[in-house]
Amino acid sequence: AELKGIGCSPGIATGEVIILNELETNLNLSNKIIVTERTEPSWAVLLPLCKGLLVERGSVLSHSGIIARELGIPAIVGIKNLTSNLKNGEKISMDGNTGIIWKVKDKK
């Protein structure tokens, strides 16, 4: 299962998904990839804490894309049906260069 959006901040990241619908400040975002429908400028305080950012809406010129590039965090925007295709705690990899997201299967 692969998702695709617009790569807007280069880099590859692998980590657990954390789906956010609003700004929450008391979260452990270490090794997590933030998944959301959209962001607001106030979310800038969260971005330095995460491994990557996936946003259902937006473009390379959106606020989240610009901040991610400034911070050097891989980011992909404009991902159709993103929040309905991923679950909290699911492990994924993302490529901010190509805009491709893929689910990582646990080795057992």
Side-chain angles (χ1 to χ4, degrees):
E2 195 176 271
L3 297 170
K4 181 147 177 55
I6 303 164
C8 71
S9 183
I12 295 174
T14 299
E16 279 185 24
V17 165
I18 184 163
I19 298 174
L20 298 178
N21 296 312
E22 59 187 38
L23 177 65
E24 297 179 45
T25 55
N26 292 328
L27 297 172
N28 176 5
L29 297 175
S30 177
N31 294 318
K32 303 255 172 65
I33 296 174
I34 294 175
V35 172
T36 187
E37 182 181 347
R38 61 183 176 78
T39 65
E40 296 178 10
S42 59
W43 287 45
V45 298
L46 298 179
L47 299 185
L49 307 173
C50 71
K51 282 186 96 172
L53 176 65
L54 302 174
V55 185
E56 194 164 310
R57 298 181 179 193
S59 71
V60 293
L61 296 177
S62 63
H63 183 264
S64 52
I66 293 168
I67 296 296
R69 282 191 298 277
E70 288 176 355
L71 295 172
I73 298 165
I76 304 171
V77 298
I79 311 157
K80 220 175 204 186
N81 302 314
L82 171 67
T83 55
S84 61
N85 279 301
L86 295 177
K87 297 179 180 99
N88 275 318
E90 190 169 27
K91 192 169 183 183
I92 63 164
S93 288
M94 60 175 287
D95 185 337
N97 299 299
T98 63
I100 296 175
I101 303 132
W102 60 98
K103 297 179 181 184
V104 176
K105 297 185 193 258
D106 287 327
K107 296 177 184 174
K108 293 186 182 189

